[in-house]
Amino acid sequence: MQIPFPEGVIALDHGSGDISFVSHAHSDHLNGVKAKERLIASEETIALGNLPGKNETPKGVKMLDAGHILGSRQLCVEADGKKIIYTGDMRTRPSMLFKGAEVEECDKLIIESTYGDPQYKFPDCEEVYSKIGKWVNANSQSNLLIGGYALGKSQELIKILNSFGVAPVVDRNIERFNSVYEKFGVKLDRAVVGTPEAEEAMGRPFVGIVEMKRAKRYFAHRLSEAFNRKTLVAVATGWALNYRFDTDAAFVLSDHADFEDLLGYVRGTNAKEIEFVHGDGTHLQSRLAMLA
Ligand SMILES: [Zn+2]
């Protein structure tokens, strides 16, 4: 997908255009952008995605917060008297780390509608945070592993655990992103696997944050044997709403807007023209028509 602007076309989350807008640094939004010199992207996204390109702000173009992960943005382009907004992944509700996505009125909205189905109804963050806290407290004699995506979810998990006075042990591949979060002012109290701090923390029951692929009972079982201490495992993902995971607990923690959030967002933009990407937007369209 592309948006025209006075100097040519802006590619939306891919590399085929005169300049590429990169909404955020999740890998499914980085196709072809590593080869681009000209980018419209936050400094945080450039750092998290290890992008060689440089950020430019062409005339009539600005970015708005998307509330999804560090540096996530929406694109707003004004040309020929028409205002177009594009949003990739976003979260409208505030979280422990970010404010919710900014909402601006526009003529045309291009929006990802992966979660544009009424079956997606996420609980309040606070409720989920407190469930995680209760699980950690109730199992203080066991090692606890929580699986989350390395970029975004893991940092939110660290922050949640910090709020309960816990500094988790984290995998090295998660640490790469933690250090960028810290560079941009997000303080994260954690110990990295392989360091003396982590060794010390693992001498008693500890909380670890691991990648999703490791958040499985067999991995917890192996740790139970290695540490001679019971190890429980959980996941933190929006998918816990509809999928069963091979874990002892599952927390519905999403960094996306759910159906009602998307609906509220779309209505807030007052856009006359709406284009849906990643999903056909059928449910959103019919609900919007009902509300019109
Ligand atoms: Zn994303």
Side-chain angles (χ1 to χ4, degrees):
M1 173 113 4
Q2 297 172 324
I3 297 183
F5 80 121
E7 296 170 44
V9 288
I10 303 173
L12 304 177
D13 284 324
H14 62 81
S16 341
D18 298 292
I19 187 166
S20 289
F21 168 66
V22 189
S23 63
H24 66 291
H26 277 148
S27 56
D28 54 334
H29 289 74
L30 299 179
N31 289 327
V33 302
K34 288 208 173 175
K36 301 294 283 189
E37 282 173 25
R38 301 181 66 196
L39 299 175
I40 303 168
S42 65
E43 291 305 325
E44 292 92 328
T45 293
I46 289 174
L48 288 167
N50 244 331
L51 304 179
K54 289 217 169 16
N55 175 47
E56 283 183 33
T57 313
K59 194 168 172 291
V61 171
K62 68 172 179 178
M63 290 190 281
L64 304 169
D65 279 350
H68 174 55
I69 62 166
L70 182 75
S72 62
R73 299 287 186 269
Q74 311 166 55
L75 178 70
C76 177
V77 179
E78 280 186 86
D80 303 327
K82 194 174 171 187
K83 183 166 161 184
I84 304 175
I85 290 181
Y86 162 71
T87 174
D89 294 343
M90 65 161 178
R91 169 153 64 178
T92 54
R93 304 180 202 175
S95 70
M96 193 166 278
L97 288 177
F98 309 110
K99 291 183 283 190
E102 290 178 81
V103 186
E104 272 201 21
E105 294 205 355
C106 61
D107 300 296
K108 180 177 176 177
L109 177 67
I110 303 169
I111 183 166
E112 284 199 13
S113 53
T114 316
Y115 294 87
D117 185 309
Q119 66 166 307
Y120 296 112
K121 184 170 169 42
F122 298 137
D124 286 340
C125 292
E126 293 300 329
E127 196 183 301
V128 183
Y129 294 169
S130 119
K131 275 191 180 157
I132 294 173
K134 281 186 185 143
W135 187 68
V136 169
N137 282 330
N139 296 292
S140 59
Q141 296 312 305
S142 304
N143 298 330
L144 300 175
L145 300 179
I146 308 179
Y149 290 102
L151 170 54
K153 197 60 62 64
S154 294
Q155 292 71 39
E156 187 175 2
L157 281 169
I158 296 172
K159 206 72 185 169
I160 295 167
L161 291 165
N162 289 172
S163 79
F164 299 119
V166 175
V169 174
V170 300
D171 275 356
R172 285 207 167 273
N173 37 3
I174 293 173
E175 179 58 17
R176 182 172 91 71
F177 299 118
N178 295 341
S179 57
V180 179
Y181 269 62
E182 283 218 321
K183 190 177 148 211
F184 287 95
V186 180
K187 193 174 165 357
L188 298 170
D189 193 8
R190 78 283 183 195
V192 185
V193 168
T195 63
E197 286 164 281
E199 290 299 318
E200 200 205 318
M202 290 156 92
R204 47 186 189 278
F206 64 91
V207 182
I209 296 179
V210 295
E211 284 192 291
M212 289 296 278
K213 64 180 181 200
R214 289 190 160 173
K216 302 218 163 71
R217 281 204 173 97
Y218 85 87
F219 185 69
H221 182 70
R222 272 171 48 195
L223 282 196
S224 299
E225 287 183 341
F227 285 88
N228 200 15
R229 193 188 299 142
K230 188 174 167 190
T231 302
L232 298 174
V233 61
V235 284
T237 168
W239 297 113
L241 202 60
N242 346 40
Y243 290 100
R244 242 174 209 289
F245 289 84
D246 177 27
T247 54
D248 301 292
F251 304 109
V252 183
L253 183 66
S254 178
D255 43 23
H256 289 267
D258 71 6
F259 180 73
E260 291 294 333
D261 297 336
L262 283 172
L263 199 62
Y265 172 86
V266 172
R267 296 187 81 200
T269 64
N270 218 356
K272 300 283 170 290
E273 196 185 335
I274 307 168
E275 197 165 332
F276 297 97
V277 285
H278 300 298
D280 59 10
T282 319
H283 294 289
L284 282 167
Q285 270 168 325
S286 60
R287 186 74 75 82
L288 285 163
M290 271 162 57
L291 294 166

